[in-house]
Amino acid sequence: MDRLRALEVFVEVVKREGFARAADALDTSPANVTRYISDLEAHLQTRLLNRSSRKMSLTSSGEALYERAKSILDDVAEAEAIVSSATLQPHGVLRINAPLSFGVLHLAPLWAKFAQKYPEVRLDVALIDRVVDIVEEGYDMAIRISRTGSTSHVARKLASSRNILCASPDYIQKRGMPLHPADLLQHACVGYSYSATADEWQMLDQDGQPHAVKVQCVMHSNNGDTARAAALGGMGVIWQPSFLIGADLRAGRLQRVLPDYHMPDIDVLAVYPSRRHLSAKVRVMIDFLVEEFAGTPPWDRAD
């Protein structure tokens, strides 16, 4: 029995919720699919699937194998992609989606260097703050800023960024420095429209205890640069990632608020649809970005 093929068939049966649909996806016959599953169960000496004429479900052994088999198949596909990518010259159009502020500040300066290194790759970069559907909208990959990673695509971490509460020195001089998260209720705040927690700002104290405050926002924006400009103009307190406001903090244009509390860090991710058949142009771009952002991220480095 080809055990790797058997695992592939098993995973496809579970994903497609049926033998016939799995056979179509694998371009084989239902009889072959049945044979692979039977052989796999015989080899493991356990039933993996409960089957009837109307319904199919996983046994507890099947559930355990399914999760592990998916991981094994992904690892094999990634290894194959590494080898095949190494033998192919990257070329063609590479469509990338990235958030606006991050794309302008930290990606745009890198494109010329990438183009010199890979002249056969033509970049098509779209800067959009909303989360796009990579497959539906025809992108090869995306750069995402996220606390939770990606549940629907493969993601590779490029760097981390701190979320920081801050305000201008003029604002703090006029309104005072908050000493506790609850003090933010007495302050003007500028909210970020795409925040998963809306106007409830969540942070942790030095003991790791959570604090949540429903702030009063005098302004909302779906763009970090706009929130930053509002804070620089003295409108109120903002929270934004260090990749956007790090230079302002170092120059004293913005001042950290509640320094004894911190918000959860966020990751900068390269996201792409699948490890399977990963094109050379996507792989070299991801490797290039990993190298560029290695070590201390540029936004946290001293000037």
Side-chain angles (χ1 to χ4, degrees):
M1 178 185 65
D2 183 341
R3 281 184 287 177
L4 192 61
R5 178 62 171 172
L7 290 177
E8 184 179 21
V9 171
F10 171 66
V11 166
E12 203 65 35
V13 167
V14 177
K15 284 170 54 180
R16 305 286 176 175
E17 299 182 338
F19 283 51
R21 286 189 289 271
D24 288 340
L26 295 167
D27 194 24
T28 188
S29 67
N32 266 338
V33 170
T34 301
R35 179 175 59 82
Y36 270 112
I37 299 300
S38 297
D39 288 350
L40 185 60
E41 289 179 327
H43 173 73
L44 297 173
Q45 298 183 346
T46 186
R47 180 173 289 277
L48 301 172
L49 298 165
N50 294 314
R51 306 189 283 280
S52 69
S53 58
R54 294 185 178 181
K55 189 176 180 181
M56 183 197 76
S57 63
L58 283 167
T59 65
S60 58
S61 296
E63 288 178 358
L65 180 64
Y66 177 64
E67 293 303 322
R68 191 70 188 98
K70 284 196 303 180
S71 177
I72 290 170
L73 292 171
D74 279 346
D75 288 343
V76 170
E78 184 172 25
E80 291 174 343
I82 290 171
V83 174
S84 62
S85 295
T87 61
L88 295 174
Q89 180 66 29
H91 70 281
V93 177
L94 177 59
R95 296 197 69 220
I96 303 173
N97 165 256
L100 178 59
S101 298
F102 188 85
V104 171
L105 288 172
H106 301 293
L107 295 177
L110 302 179
W111 299 142
K113 182 176 180 180
F114 178 85
Q116 284 185 332
K117 194 171 183 179
Y118 300 103
E120 298 301 315
V121 178
R122 302 189 305 280
L123 297 177
D124 183 350
V125 181
L127 301 182
I128 306 170
D129 279 336
R130 67 177 173 84
V131 177
V132 305
D133 186 314
I134 301 175
V135 175
E136 184 71 22
E137 299 186 40
Y139 292 101
D140 296 296
M141 60 176 290
I143 305 301
R144 296 255 172 93
I145 312 297
S146 173
R147 288 186 187 178
T148 58
S150 175
T151 57
S152 56
H153 300 297
V154 183
R156 186 168 178 186
K157 182 178 174 180
L158 303 177
S160 292
S161 182
R162 295 170 295 146
N163 280 320
I164 297 175
L165 287 159
C166 58
S168 71
D170 286 345
Y171 175 86
I172 292 172
Q173 185 176 9
K174 291 176 184 176
R175 299 289 298 271
M177 174 66 81
L179 301 177
H180 187 273
D183 295 342
L184 292 173
L185 294 171
Q186 309 305 318
H187 283 264
C189 297
V190 178
Y192 183 57
S193 303
Y194 289 151
S195 169
T197 58
D199 291 342
E200 183 178 87
W201 291 8
Q202 300 176 355
M203 58 203 80
L204 302 173
D205 61 26
Q206 292 181 323
D207 295 324
Q209 295 300 309
H211 299 262
V213 183
K214 186 77 171 181
V215 300
Q216 301 297 316
C217 290
V218 297
M219 175 182 171
H220 290 89
S221 176
N222 65 352
N223 174 257
D225 285 304
T226 300
R228 168 182 172 269
L232 289 170
M235 284 188 67
V237 180
I238 63 169
W239 68 264
Q240 285 294 323
S242 56
F243 71 71
L244 182 64
I245 59 170
D248 296 314
L249 291 170
R250 290 192 295 273
R253 295 185 293 268
L254 292 174
Q255 186 173 342
R256 189 164 183 178
V257 171
L258 298 174
D260 292 334
Y261 297 82
H262 69 275
M263 306 182 90
D265 290 349
I266 52 177
D267 289 335
V268 181
L269 306 171
V271 178
Y272 49 102
S274 174
R275 285 190 177 98
R276 292 177 178 271
H277 310 302
L278 185 62
S279 67
K281 62 187 178 183
V282 172
R283 179 162 296 282
V284 296
M285 173 58 77
I286 293 171
D287 290 343
F288 170 79
L289 293 175
V290 167
E291 183 178 348
E292 288 296 321
F293 291 124
T296 303
W299 46 86
D300 287 335
R301 296 170 193 161
D303 291 335

